Amino acid sequence: MYHIIDAHCHVYPAQIARKAADATGRFYDGLPTTCDGTVAALLEEGARSGIGHFIVQSVATKPEQVRSINQFIAHEVAQHPGVLTGLGTLHPESGDIAGDVAELLDLGLKGVKLHPDIQRFKLDDHRCLKIYELLEGRVPLLLHTGDKRFDYSNPNRLIPVLEIYKNLTVIGAHFGGYSIWEEAAQQLAGFPNLYVDCSSTMFALDDEVVVRLIRLYGAERVLFGTDYPMWSPAAEVEHFMRLELTGEERELILHRNAERLFGLA
């Protein structure tokens, strides 16, 4: 039995969760959203699948949402100690990014999640530089990365960030390039400050391709993530366990890498 950490979960207040979850599915060309986006449903999925810990987050589509979202995430973490770890959100158009970072750290959040494609900014936009400066050497930055429909977070935008902010630990969601998985891996594998997660990938690629991506990046740089509520964590665990990986690779991906990055060990 493996200890499992789901390193990529979106959660929302119960009163808006279903609406927010469905909106995310519509953003991704109408992909079905499997779960409702509540913490309660996430924990139920965890009980069914053997997931013991979740890294939870949400995304501010407007600067004025940053504070309330970060407070919500911190509240949920406090309600479920030892089960949830929270990431904060930021927005490059905020008038006080330094204050936003200080507050999320004071709240005990262990990193930051940004979604350039939904928040509508390019990763190498000058407005983001303050974010990278403030996070560098402090906490990990989980980024949505990649989308063949846009030019916000593809490798050409990410590579300059990795090259300039060498002490910034970046986790590139979706193997560093949603919908351009293999192309992204060819360009991004080998950056020492880049990790990736496997979320929102296994539904689209053959298992052999997923294993190839893991080994291209190195299992020591891959995190297990489900992208809840897009996909059922229980189904994602079941699919992951079918991959032809070694026991050591599974241990690294399912929990050891996340424990190291977020100080959970």
Side-chain angles (χ1 to χ4, degrees), residues 26-44:
R26 288 193 299 273
F27 179 83
Y28 289 105
D29 288 335
L31 283 174
T33 306
T34 305
C35 302
D36 69 9
T38 62
V39 171
L42 178 64
L43 298 179
E44 289 174 7

Side-chain angles (χ1 to χ4, degrees), residues 100-113:
D100 294 339
V101 170
E103 181 175 43
L104 74 86
L105 294 176
D106 286 344
L107 287 168
L109 301 177
K110 301 300 184 182
V112 169
K113 165 66 184 290

Side-chain angles (χ1 to χ4, degrees), residues 217-236:
Y217 282 108
E220 71 281 1
R221 294 195 169 272
V222 180
L223 285 71
F224 176 75
T226 67
D227 217 359
Y228 171 92
M230 289 298 298
W231 313 103
S232 158
E236 290 292 283

Side-chain angles (χ1 to χ4, degrees), residues 51-209:
I51 300 173
H53 200 100
F54 304 87
I55 311 296
V56 296
Q57 67 229 222
S58 193
V59 174
T61 58
K62 301 175 183 178
E64 55 266 29
Q65 296 174 337
V66 167
R67 186 173 187 183
S68 62
I69 289 175
N70 289 341
Q71 291 174 344
F72 162 72
I73 296 293
H75 173 78
E76 292 301 318
V77 170
Q79 295 300 303
H80 304 282
V83 178
L84 302 183
T85 291
L87 305 184
T89 186
L90 296 170
H91 198 290
E93 294 179 5
S94 169
D96 186 15
I97 291 175
D100 294 339
V101 170
E103 181 175 43
L104 74 86
L105 294 176
D106 286 344
L107 287 168
L109 301 177
K110 301 300 184 182
V112 169
K113 165 66 184 290
L114 297 177
H115 197 310
D117 297 66
I118 286 179
Q119 294 176 291
R120 299 292 182 179
F121 65 85
K122 296 175 180 177
L123 278 176
D124 55 353
D125 189 301
H126 69 92
R127 296 173 299 170
C128 301
L129 304 186
K130 187 67 173 179
I131 293 175
Y132 306 145
E133 291 170 3
L134 289 166
L135 300 184
E136 188 174 22
R138 301 174 80 181
V139 292
L141 173 62
L142 172 59
L143 294 172
H144 168 91
T145 43
D147 197 313
K148 63 185 178 184
R149 301 172 297 170
F150 309 118
D151 186 29
Y152 293 108
S153 62
N154 292 329
N156 59 302
R157 300 295 179 188
L158 177 57
I159 287 172
V161 177
L162 296 172
E163 291 178 336
I164 294 170
Y165 299 94
K166 295 183 184 299
N167 293 316
L168 177 66
T169 298
V170 174
I171 304 166
H174 326 309
F175 280 113
Y178 176 79
S179 74
I180 55 167
W181 295 280
E182 294 184 85
E183 172 190 337
Q186 290 297 330
Q187 296 181 60
L188 296 172
F191 276 95
N193 50 340
L194 177 68
Y195 294 76
V196 297
D197 72 35
C198 67
S199 67
S200 285
T201 296
M202 294 187 291
F203 81 100
L205 300 179
D206 292 339
D207 289 356
E208 309 86 72
V209 177

